[in-house]
Amino acid sequence: MDEKDLIQKLKSGSTPAYKELYERWVSRLYSFVYRYVKSETVADDIIQETFLRIWSNRSGLNPESSFKSYLFTISWHLLLKELRRQLNHPSMDEYLAYQNGPSVSEEYIESNIDLEHFHTALIRAKRKLSPRQREIFELNKEQDIPIADIAQQLSIHEQVVRNQLSAALKTIRTELQSLAFLLSIFLLSL
């Protein structure tokens, strides 16, 4: 069954459609979240909350819109909330003081690391990519799919994937030049 049909059934309260969508997306979503939190428990909690929100807001789903974008946006916001919670945890102050020494203050970190701003800028930068570049960038950098698998999935040569990914990264780096520090963390964490 195609995704639009599943979403239409989910809007009507179909539990089997919900389970099918869950099975289709849970592993990719888990990989995405785990890369940032590095905790199985926290990743599980974020995934559970994401799908709980999907179920709770099922009547507002639009079968014509990208379910993937909706799903990953919910997870991203929950992830940001969790990362903020971790940053505000009392032990984080001690850890940062230990790691960074006296030269980097908590105020500097809070003022310079705004993940929501980065996420918004990344979305804008991805809009500057061609549809193929964006697809390859998201598959490789956000879903952690190897180049060989992308080439097979898209029925193109691996070198084409590499070329498109290289062009996409060049555009993303140019667009996010002012956020180079966060971009490097984003690309290294993948």
Side-chain angles (χ1 to χ4, degrees), residues 28-40 42-43 46 72 75-80 82-83 86 92 115 118-119 122 126 137 141-143 182-190:
R28 284 191 269 180
L29 194 59
Y30 180 86
S31 295
F32 169 74
V33 172
Y34 184 80
R35 274 183 282 167
Y36 292 97
V37 295
K38 305 290 190 234
S39 164
E40 292 178 8
V42 174
I46 290 173
F72 277 79
S75 290
W76 178 255
H77 288 288
L78 292 170
L79 178 61
L80 289 175
E82 174 58 25
L83 292 174
Q86 289 178 10
M92 182 57 78
L115 293 177
F118 172 74
H119 178 66
L122 180 61
K126 288 193 311 186
F137 176 85
K141 297 299 179 190
E142 295 178 5
Q143 296 178 30
L182 289 175
L183 178 62
S184 63
I185 291 173
F186 173 76
L187 293 174
L188 289 174
S189 69
L190 300 176

Side-chain angles (χ1 to χ4, degrees), residues 3-189:
E3 199 163 87
K4 288 181 182 181
D5 293 334
L6 287 171
I7 293 168
Q8 194 61 47
K9 289 183 179 189
L10 174 58
K11 281 184 69 151
S12 303
S14 168
T15 306
Y18 176 75
K19 287 179 182 176
E20 175 69 26
L21 286 166
Y22 177 88
E23 290 301 321
R24 285 185 185 187
W25 288 102
V26 69
S27 62
R28 284 191 269 180
L29 194 59
Y30 180 86
S31 295
F32 169 74
V33 172
Y34 184 80
R35 274 183 282 167
Y36 292 97
V37 295
K38 305 290 190 234
S39 164
E40 292 178 8
T41 305
V42 174
D44 286 338
D45 289 347
I46 290 173
I47 301 305
Q48 182 179 7
E49 180 65 22
T50 299
F51 279 98
L52 178 63
R53 288 185 183 191
I54 295 290
W55 179 256
S56 298
N57 300 317
R58 66 188 176 276
S59 62
L61 290 173
N62 180 355
E64 300 303 317
S65 294
S66 169
F67 182 73
K68 173 187 169 188
S69 295
Y70 182 63
L71 184 67
F72 277 79
T73 299
I74 291 171
S75 290
W76 178 255
H77 288 288
L78 292 170
L79 178 61
L80 289 175
K81 183 177 176 183
E82 174 58 25
L83 292 174
R84 276 196 199 97
R85 187 196 66 75
Q86 289 178 10
L87 279 174
N88 292 325
H89 194 275
S91 64
M92 182 57 78
D93 292 337
E94 295 169 16
Y95 174 76
L96 290 173
Y98 172 77
Q99 283 296 101
N100 299 317
S103 64
V104 178
S105 69
E106 179 182 329
E107 191 175 297
Y108 173 83
I109 291 168
E110 287 179 3
S111 67
N112 288 298
I113 300 180
D114 183 353
L115 293 177
E116 278 188 64
H117 177 67
F118 172 74
H119 178 66
T120 303
L122 180 61
I123 289 171
R124 271 195 314 268
K126 288 193 311 186
R127 287 185 189 137
K128 304 244 175 167
L129 303 175
S130 71
R132 182 54 64 120
Q133 287 174 344
R134 182 178 180 155
E135 180 180 30
I136 290 171
F137 176 85
E138 289 175 346
L139 289 170
N140 184 257
K141 297 299 179 190
E142 295 178 5
Q143 296 178 30
D144 204 26
I145 298 175
I147 288 174
D149 293 349
I150 295 171
Q152 184 178 8
Q153 181 179 336
L154 300 177
S155 302
I156 57 178
H157 292 285
E158 286 184 32
Q159 190 57 48
V160 173
V161 174
R162 284 188 191 91
N163 293 346
Q164 292 291 313
L165 184 58
S166 177
L169 288 171
K170 183 177 180 180
T171 301
I172 296 285
R173 283 187 188 108
T174 301
E175 291 299 316
L176 298 180
Q177 210 166 27
S178 65
L179 300 168
F181 173 71
L182 289 175
L183 178 62
S184 63
I185 291 173
F186 173 76
L187 293 174
L188 289 174
S189 69

